[in-house]
Amino acid sequence: IPLQEYKDKLEASGARIVERDLEEEGGEGDDYYMDEDNMYSFSGWALKYKNCQAIQRFSEDAVQNGEYSALVIDDVVILRLCPRRVCSSSSHSGCYYNYAEYAIGLSEYLKIMLHYKLDKKRNLCNFCASCGNRLLEEGEEDQEEEGEEEKDRDEDNGEEEEEGQGEEQQNAQDNQDAGGDAAAGDDYYAADDDANNDDGSNGDDGGCGDCCTYQQDCYDIASWCDAESDDGVYLDILDYLDYLDCVQINGQGNYAGYAYWVRPYCDASKGIIKMHLFSDPYCSQALKEVNLNDFSGMYFQSSMFEDFYSGECMDCSESNDPPYYNSGSYMCNKMHYRAAKCTSNMVYDLFDGTDENSETECSFIESINFGTYDVNGAVSTTDSNYGYNVQPQVTPFQKAFLVISIFACFVLGVYSCYLHHSITNLLIKSLSHSTLLPPVKRRSRNSGSRTNSRQGSRGRGGTTDDEPRGTFA
């Protein structure tokens, strides 16, 4: 369903369109949505959370205010933009080839992600409302058709008794159908399979398509769509927007009279993002012994940010399809404009040369990736700390090259043994068989043998004709 067609049908059916003004309720809401003419097309790409790193920096304001330390901490989130077909949610980096990387402050990152989460919920609410109204309308049409068919049968029967019985049956059927409609009204987002077989489809979803696909999602979000989730206990999505910066709050109950500061916090030891209390106005000195909910009297959900650091690949493609429509494209474009970016590892220019690649930004992101900072945000000065943030990853190419190298080493080892054996045998044969010697050496060996033979005959007393023969007196 194209987006505009979907909205027209929704308005024509009289459904309630969930539109929440983020600027009035949470601040800077209109700033989240961008002019489509200024948006990049991220179709075929996905954005993945990589890690969050604390970084210490010098603050002149902290010195002037007499704070405990002149160093304050900023939390920076690293994201990677990968081709969607190769983006891996189970991999720490997501992809290793043809990617761009972003560095963005934690508060700004959460602000964009909360708007993204809210935008997806709003689109899902409208989609579920459209599905609920369509199912109710189809049920009413089926009821009218059944009533007309029953009426025609009654008119063909001229007997008053049978007409009376037909009216009783009709009344019973009407009461049953009315009860079915009431149940459908209470179960607003339920899908009635019998009411959706008008098109003759025999599929498992009864012909209701996307409505059945996202039926469970509609059940789960029903109370939120009806504005019934604000029970005064847990904070809603919009409420968190007020606590993304370092905000002072007063203690409640046993903590009355105390004041601390609160903001989101990167817990490097656990690899999570959560709301946390701090003892200084720069939110650099974390308080670990005081529970935030007990101190504030408010209930911050520990699971509110789970989706934001889960590492799932988030689709950035433009879409007019339900139930989330263009939410992903808005989010990725907002990240691109608000974050420091490095595109030097991309195979081609996705942004048509409009974004100049900054060496400073690339160097900064690379320094975080290779563990320049430790878990406390300080610059690492020891070899043992260097690279602590680097996750060991072996790419498929590296695995294949390693296997080929091991096999090649094995083949060369076997071949070297074969050569050594062959050369050794040849030397042994050359010493035992003169026929294996070269011709020159063979002749010198033969001549040496003849000379030795003559010398041997002289030694045995043999004479020649030229020797003078002596006479005995």
Side-chain angles (χ1 to χ4, degrees):
I1 305 176
L3 182 59
Q4 189 58 45
E5 180 182 350
Y6 155 74
K7 290 182 177 179
D8 293 341
K9 288 184 177 181
L10 196 61
E11 293 177 356
S13 65
R16 175 177 62 88
I17 301 179
V18 179
E19 294 287 351
R20 300 190 177 192
D21 191 343
L22 299 182
E23 185 174 12
E24 293 180 359
E25 298 187 45
E28 300 183 6
D30 291 342
D31 190 42
Y32 174 73
Y33 298 101
M34 302 172 59
D35 187 353
E36 294 186 358
D37 295 335
N38 298 326
M39 292 174 60
Y40 291 110
S41 176
F42 284 98
S43 295
W45 294 83
L47 193 65
K48 176 181 171 61
Y49 170 90
K50 189 176 179 183
N51 62 282
C52 184
Q53 175 65 55
I55 298 177
Q56 291 186 9
R57 62 177 177 85
F58 176 80
S59 173
E60 185 177 352
D61 291 339
V63 175
Q64 293 177 354
N65 294 333
E67 294 298 328
Y68 173 78
S69 174
L71 297 176
V72 298
I73 296 178
D74 295 327
D75 291 327
V76 177
V77 174
I78 302 298
L79 306 168
R80 180 167 287 191
L81 183 70
C82 299
R84 185 179 59 181
R85 61 183 179 85
V86 298
C87 186
S88 172
S89 298
S90 59
S91 170
H92 173 71
S93 298
C95 59
Y96 303 93
Y97 177 74
N98 189 23
Y99 62 86
E101 287 190 302
Y102 299 99
I104 186 171
L106 177 60
S107 296
E108 187 66 27
Y109 169 72
L110 293 179
K111 185 181 299 182
I112 294 174
M113 293 303 296
L114 286 171
H115 285 314
Y116 169 60
K117 187 173 185 177
L118 188 61
D119 189 43
K120 288 180 63 178
K121 281 194 170 186
R122 185 180 66 243
N123 287 337
L124 182 59
C125 287
N126 291 334
F127 169 74
C128 294
S130 175
C131 288
N133 283 349
R134 181 162 65 85
L135 295 177
L136 289 176
E137 290 174 0
E138 291 176 354
E140 292 174 355
E141 291 176 357
D142 291 344
Q143 177 186 352
E144 293 177 358
E145 291 177 358
E146 291 176 0
E148 291 178 358
E149 292 176 359
E150 187 70 22
K151 183 177 181 180
D152 292 339
R153 288 195 296 269
D154 291 342
E155 291 178 352
D156 293 338
N157 191 338
E159 297 181 5
E160 293 182 357
E161 180 177 312
E162 292 180 357
E163 288 180 359
Q165 293 177 354
E167 290 177 358
E168 292 177 0
Q169 294 176 357
Q170 178 65 30
N171 291 335
Q173 181 67 30
D174 290 343
N175 291 334
Q176 181 178 359
D177 292 338
D181 287 343
D186 293 337
D187 200 2
Y188 187 61
Y189 300 106
D192 186 350
D193 292 341
D194 294 336
N196 288 285
N197 284 329
D198 297 342
D199 57 358
S201 66
N202 295 323
D204 294 338
D205 60 1
C208 58
D210 291 330
C211 291
C212 287
T213 302
Y214 296 98
Q215 181 179 358
Q216 186 59 47
D217 294 329
C218 290
Y219 278 123
D220 296 339
I221 203 174
S223 60
W224 188 90
C225 294
D226 294 334
E228 296 176 358
S229 63
D230 187 6
D231 55 7
V233 179
Y234 289 102
L235 276 70
D236 199 6
I237 297 176
L238 293 172
D239 297 327
Y240 282 85
L241 297 174
D242 297 330
Y243 299 97
L244 296 183
D245 297 319
C246 195
V247 178
Q248 184 178 14
I249 59 175
N250 296 319
Q252 304 295 324
N254 296 332
Y255 297 97
Y258 293 90
Y260 291 128
W261 288 263
V262 62
R263 75 163 175 87
Y265 165 72
C266 286
D267 190 341
S269 61
K270 298 180 180 179
I272 64 175
I273 299 174
K274 61 180 181 180
M275 301 298 297
H276 203 76
L277 279 175
F278 298 85
S279 61
D280 65 302
Y282 300 95
C283 290
S284 298
Q285 306 296 326
L287 291 173
K288 297 182 179 180
E289 64 276 5
V290 182
N291 182 273
L292 173 60
N293 291 345
D294 294 340
F295 177 83
S296 64
M298 297 179 289
Y299 291 90
F300 294 90
Q301 300 180 55
S302 59
S303 61
M304 177 56 68
F305 301 145
E306 281 184 354
D307 294 340
F308 305 160
Y309 61 84
S310 65
E312 293 293 327
C313 294
M314 299 174 287
D315 189 8
C316 295
S317 302
E318 296 178 350
S319 175
N320 287 325
D321 298 327
Y324 303 121
Y325 299 99
N326 216 26
S327 297
S329 180
Y330 278 119
M331 181 271 295
C332 292
N333 272 276
K334 202 64 181 180
M335 289 291 184
H336 180 78
Y337 277 103
R338 290 293 182 89
K341 59 191 71 67
C342 179
T343 59
S344 60
N345 292 303
M346 301 194 75
V347 175
Y348 62 92
D349 188 3
L350 179 65
F351 310 109
D352 301 327
T354 55
D355 284 335
E356 296 183 359
N357 198 51
S358 171
E359 293 183 3
T360 302
E361 295 174 352
C362 290
S363 298
F364 174 70
I365 295 174
E366 184 177 0
S367 68
I368 295 178
N369 290 337
F370 283 93
T372 302
Y373 304 92
D374 61 21
V375 292
N376 298 316
V379 176
S380 177
T381 57
T382 61
D383 294 337
S384 59
N385 288 333
Y386 183 79
Y388 84 95
N389 197 32
V390 179
Q391 298 294 328
Q393 295 288 333
V394 181
T395 65
F397 174 78
Q398 291 172 334
K399 293 178 181 178
F401 184 76
L402 182 61
V403 171
I404 293 174
S405 300
I406 294 175
F407 179 75
C409 291
F410 174 77
V411 172
L412 292 175
V414 173
Y415 183 65
S416 64
C417 293
Y418 167 77
L419 289 178
H420 180 268
H421 181 72
S422 299
I423 294 173
T424 302
N425 289 339
L426 181 62
L427 291 175
I428 294 174
K429 289 180 180 179
S430 67
L431 295 175
S432 59
H433 300 282
S434 61
T435 57
L436 297 178
L437 293 175
V440 176
K441 292 185 177 181
R442 190 183 310 143
R443 284 195 299 270
S444 64
R445 173 176 288 189
N446 292 336
S447 62
S449 299
R450 288 194 297 269
T451 301
N452 293 334
S453 177
R454 287 196 298 268
Q455 292 177 353
S457 61
R458 290 195 187 100
R460 289 192 300 269
T463 61
T464 63
D465 294 339
D466 295 336
E467 294 180 347
R469 297 181 180 180
T471 58
F472 296 94

